[in-house]
Amino acid sequence: MKQESKTPKKPLIFYYLIAMLVLLLLNALVFPSLLSPRVKEVSYDQFLSLVERKEVNKVAIENDVILFTVKDDAAKDGYAYYQTGRIEDADLVNRLKESGAEFSAVIPTQDSALLNFLMTWVFPIILFVALGLLMARMLTKHMGSNAMSFGKSNAKIYVESQTGKSFADVAGQDEAKDALREIVDFLHNPDKYAAIGASLPKGVLLVGPPGTGKTLLAQAVAGEAKVPFFSISGSEFVEMFVGMGAAKVRDLFKQAQEKAPCIVFIDEIDTIGKKRDSGSGIGGNDEREQTLNQLLAEMDGFDGAKGVVILAATNRPDSLDKALLRPGRFDRRVPVELPDLQGRIAILKVHAKDVKMEDNIDFDTIGRATSGASGAELANIINEAALRAVRMGRSKVAQQDLEESVEVVIAGYQRKGAMINDREKRIIAYHEIGHALVAARLKDAAPVHKITIIPRTSGALGYTMQVEEEERVLMSKEDLLNQIITLTGGRSAEEVVFNSITSGASNDIEKATSTARAMITRFGMSDTFDMMELETVNNPYLGSDTSLVCSAETAAQVDGEVRDIIRAAHQKALTILRDNRDVMDKLAAFLLEKETITGEEFMEILKQCDAERQPVSLVKENQ
Ligand code: ADP
Ligand code: MG
Ligand code: ZN
């Protein structure tokens, strides 16, 4: 998929062997004695006595050594050559003459001087450089990145269709696709835009929660654009050596300008684009700051008309440095939001194409049950369903697989061996029925879709799934209060039936509290504070990261109001359940037996009970 020069990978041992061989050869060149016959070192007086005994055969006198051979009968020790150090000896020539040995002096020639020089200076240097290069190559190979090409950006270049993705692979997200299509169109027909005097935004920032398809969209652009596409992740700029991030940015833009028209994609730009002033603490952040400054400089530096478009993605737009968002840099923001019902169904269908499915799959139900799920989670649901189908020995994915995998992705796997005693099981059953029954008795609360007391690996001992009839974007005060009352329903049931309470409501308590708090501090739904902002959301895409923007006294008052809302809700739930004790018992018994109740079964039992009750309440009214 990626365009990379592929060199066949050789095992590390291969390079070691080569290095060893080179070393050996060099050794042989520098120290010929290793390969040639061995030489015996003798003292000068031994040499002289050999000469005197006329046992020396040939003598070669060098600058500071005398090499010689001895006649056969003297060579008992098996050495072919002998050598001794040369001493200033005026008599030597006479002695040699007397002994009748052949002798000559070896004059160091120009050649051997050169060779000497090569051997002692040039060769070792070459050797070191060669070894160094070899090591560098090995390092790069084994570290998986260009560890040695400091400052080179390791942006991968995607060329047309190499990502294999197109806009058709991105379901929903129509606004985002339209905005990106315009960019692609500009790169293809710049004249059309130039004629009217329009200039392209230099930078486009894709913002949205994790898993909504930002990276996927960028890859689709790469597939559609038919221009070079540089892709790099923000974290790749953060180097192990200071200053390298900035160098990488420089290199990336240099490459891009050479290849224009082209698209540069920086994924997870928040890793380098964080606000510069934000509590940099001790040193540390200098590097990132330099990288960011370089990025800003480069974005200002190049001419947008040349056709380099910078695409970036982040799920933390608020943490980005304001300078990045200034006009002339990332001046266009493309929101990539969580999919709505239609979007979810479309995404499910796109991913369903990759697996074998039964014909009668009801994507609508799955879409409804996955409100709030991201594209990545939906893709995961399809895959989990396929895995389950295999486990079940089926050759196609069935509706049932999908339903179960929704629960797996939302609540974790079923915990098969979990030991829960009967009393606890009864408590759990009543708890869940408590939620469901309260919801059913409230006006306009979301209908119950499923109740189960099969424990999950996520720690949930059971849960009640409510599914809205239609997609909601606005929640009224009543809706939120209904939610809180429903959340308190589980604990209320425990109180009504067992007259004791358990730790099982912790999750409900958490949710109820945060909803109640948000009503007061963010949604302006309290009488005391009216439409006053008391809490601000730090990052809309990453959960409930909020901070108070009010005085300590106000905060204390808010706590009081939260308590009042929850207390009222709790009382309401208790009342509902006390009034419906008979229905609750029936439902709980059914749930204990079946462990899972569908929404239809639930409504069926409810209706039945109501029908039996009707005459009683009529009688009461008549009295
Ligand atoms: P992000 O970069 O926004 O965190 P990704 O682009 O990495 O999310 O999405 C992860 C995966 O989720 C994708 O590879 C794709 O399989 C799936 N996905 C997300 N959104 C969509 C969508 N709109 N259509 C189809 N698949 C999607
Ligand atoms: Mg991503
Ligand atoms: Zn609960």
Side-chain angles (χ1 to χ4, degrees):
M1 283 220 250
K2 294 164 221 155
Q3 196 183 49
E4 276 174 285
S5 60
K6 275 259 161 5
T7 43
K9 279 216 169 90
K10 294 197 179 87
L12 195 57
I13 188 90
F14 175 83
Y15 293 102
Y16 279 129
L17 279 179
I18 289 208
M20 292 298 286
L21 228 106
V22 169
L23 268 174
L24 258 173
L25 264 170
L26 270 158
N27 239 326
L29 279 170
V30 181
F31 310 106
S33 51
L34 272 183
L35 290 181
S36 48
R38 289 191 301 158
V39 180
K40 188 180 185 188
E41 192 88 28
V42 294
S43 66
Y44 198 72
D45 69 285
Q46 276 175 313
F47 165 64
L48 285 183
S49 64
L50 280 168
V51 170
E52 260 161 37
R53 280 188 265 140
K54 298 189 201 296
E55 278 171 358
V56 173
N57 195 4
K58 288 182 184 170
V59 180
I61 301 163
E62 293 185 6
N63 248 354
D64 31 41
V65 286
I66 299 173
L67 270 169
F68 60 96
T69 59
V70 293
K71 289 178 183 148
D72 292 344
D73 44 337
K76 294 168 209 118
D77 46 11
Y79 285 96
Y81 294 89
Y82 296 78
Q83 80 173 18
T84 181
R86 185 175 167 191
I87 287 174
E88 275 313 312
D89 182 353
D91 261 359
L92 183 61
V93 175
N94 290 334
R95 291 182 212 218
L96 286 173
K97 255 188 184 164
E98 252 170 52
S99 77
E102 272 180 57
F103 66 94
S104 60
V106 180
I107 306 155
T109 58
Q110 210 58 28
D111 268 3
S112 69
L114 186 67
L115 195 74
N116 235 326
F117 172 75
L118 283 178
M119 282 298 188
T120 45
W121 294 104
V122 182
F123 235 93
I125 291 174
I126 292 179
L127 177 72
F128 274 114
V129 171
L131 270 176
L133 283 177
L134 208 70
M135 299 251 291
R137 281 192 58 183
M138 288 199 276
L139 253 177
T140 3
K141 279 254 157 74
H142 289 268
M143 293 180 56
S145 70
N146 305 15
M148 287 293 163
S149 58
F150 305 122
K152 274 245 186 261
S153 79
N154 27 17
K156 305 170 197 84
I157 306 182
Y158 294 96
V159 184
E160 171 199 348
S161 80
Q162 276 185 337
T163 61
K165 297 267 194 287
S166 69
F167 283 137
D169 292 307
V170 188
Q173 308 296 5
D174 292 326
E175 295 83 4
K177 278 198 271 188
D178 284 345
L180 294 173
R181 260 196 211 103
E182 188 184 89
I183 310 279
V184 171
D185 186 53
F186 179 92
L187 292 175
H188 288 167
N189 317 299
D191 299 343
K192 191 168 86 185
Y193 292 81
I196 204 169
S199 67
L200 193 69
K202 266 189 190 175
V204 179
L205 189 61
L206 300 171
V207 296
T212 43
K214 297 181 294 297
T215 308
L216 182 69
L217 269 165
Q219 286 172 343
V221 170
E224 302 256 340
K226 301 184 174 65
V227 295
F229 186 90
F230 296 85
S231 164
I232 191 164
S233 164
S235 57
E236 286 172 66
F237 284 117
V238 185
E239 277 278 338
M240 49 181 167
F241 298 105
V242 177
M244 286 311 146
K248 276 193 171 180
V249 172
R250 215 174 301 129
D251 180 71
L252 175 65
F253 279 82
K254 204 173 122 234
Q255 281 189 50
Q257 256 155 328
E258 281 162 9
K259 291 259 163 50
C262 69
I263 297 172
V264 175
F265 175 53
I266 308 175
D267 208 353
E268 321 274 344
I269 196 172
D270 41 284
T271 24
I272 49 167
K274 273 198 214 102
K275 288 194 183 81
R276 277 168 294 185
D277 51 0
S278 58
S280 48
I282 315 155
N285 278 353
D286 265 14
E287 164 69 351
R288 220 196 50 226
E289 225 165 87
Q290 274 181 24
T291 310
L292 175 57
N293 284 337
Q294 188 65 39
L295 180 65
L296 295 175
E298 293 288 348
M299 286 193 79
D300 288 342
F302 75 79
D303 182 3
K306 271 221 187 101
V308 180
V309 176
I310 301 164
L311 211 60
T314 179
N315 43 35
R316 324 198 41 165
D318 321 75
S319 74
L320 287 185
D321 198 286
K322 289 285 169 287
L324 263 180
L325 305 172
R326 214 200 57 187
R329 287 168 186 157
F330 288 105
D331 41 13
R332 185 176 289 188
R333 262 192 198 217
V334 175
V336 187
E337 298 289 354
L338 287 172
D340 58 6
L341 178 60
Q342 291 314 317
R344 288 198 301 275
I345 294 173
I347 293 173
L348 285 168
K349 283 184 176 162
V350 161
H351 288 276
K353 280 196 200 116
D354 301 335
V355 297
K356 289 211 183 76
M357 293 249 171
E358 300 278 4
D359 298 329
N360 62 347
I361 299 289
D362 179 8
F363 286 107
D364 194 71
T365 309
I366 308 296
R368 280 178 198 285
T370 46
S371 176
S374 69
E377 279 163 331
L378 294 168
N380 193 10
I381 283 172
I382 296 282
N383 191 49
E384 282 291 341
L387 290 175
R388 185 173 189 272
V390 174
R391 266 201 305 275
M392 296 291 161
R394 277 195 279 275
S395 60
K396 282 184 175 172
V397 175
Q399 182 77 17
Q400 184 187 347
D401 297 320
L402 279 169
E403 302 238 342
E404 170 64 16
S405 90
V406 169
E407 287 172 44
V408 166
V409 173
I410 291 171
Y413 286 94
Q414 288 188 2
R415 232 168 69 194
K416 283 272 161 54
M419 295 294 288
I420 294 173
N421 67 36
D422 283 351
R423 184 183 148 74
E424 279 176 341
K425 214 166 176 183
R426 256 168 64 80
I427 296 175
I428 296 165
Y430 271 101
H431 178 108
E432 296 308 330
I433 292 295
H435 286 306
L437 193 52
V438 167
R441 289 295 187 223
L442 287 169
K443 208 168 140 276
D444 290 338
V448 173
H449 179 73
K450 185 174 188 172
I451 313 165
T452 161
I453 52 168
I454 299 171
R456 297 275 154 179
T457 45
S458 66
L461 296 170
Y463 61 85
T464 305
M465 207 161 143
Q466 284 173 274
V467 176
E468 296 276 359
E469 243 148 25
E470 54 200 297
E471 193 79 342
R472 305 285 294 270
V473 270
L474 287 177
M475 299 292 273
S476 68
K477 186 173 176 181
E478 286 67 40
D479 294 335
L480 293 169
L481 284 174
N482 279 352
Q483 274 187 6
I484 299 175
I485 297 169
T486 305
L487 284 166
T488 59
R491 158 66 63 88
S492 302
E494 292 179 33
E495 285 171 79
V496 170
V497 178
F498 302 97
N499 204 12
S500 79
I501 51 179
T502 68
S503 61
S506 61
N507 200 10
D508 300 333
I509 290 170
E510 202 180 304
K511 278 196 209 144
T513 310
S514 69
T515 305
R517 180 169 285 277
M519 285 174 70
I520 298 161
T521 62
R522 282 162 45 208
F523 307 152
M525 289 177 179
S526 83
D527 296 332
T528 321
F529 298 107
D530 204 30
M531 287 179 60
M532 190 177 163
E533 187 199 35
L534 302 171
E535 206 166 19
T536 184
V537 181
N538 298 331
N539 189 335
Y541 296 128
L542 292 179
S544 49
D545 175 18
T546 57
S547 40
L548 281 174
V549 286
C550 60
S551 69
E553 292 89 69
T554 312
Q557 249 177 299
V558 169
D559 290 339
E561 296 237 340
V562 170
R563 187 183 54 224
D564 292 346
I565 289 182
I566 292 175
R567 186 168 278 162
H570 189 179
Q571 289 310 320
K572 175 107 203 222
L574 281 171
T575 314
I576 292 175
L577 293 176
R578 287 198 180 107
D579 289 350
N580 290 276
R581 180 65 203 259
D582 53 335
V583 191
M584 181 158 63
D585 287 339
K586 257 206 185 116
L587 285 164
F590 189 83
L591 180 59
L592 267 170
E593 191 194 319
K594 296 274 169 94
E595 295 202 328
T596 304
I597 305 186
T598 65
E600 290 91 51
E601 288 169 331
F602 177 80
M603 289 315 292
E604 188 65 28
I605 296 173
L606 209 60
K607 265 190 209 138
Q608 225 175 299
C609 291
D610 284 352
E612 284 166 17
R613 264 179 163 198
Q614 205 67 7
V616 182
S617 57
L618 276 178
V619 172
K620 269 185 189 162
E621 261 168 61
N622 289 342
Q623 281 170 343

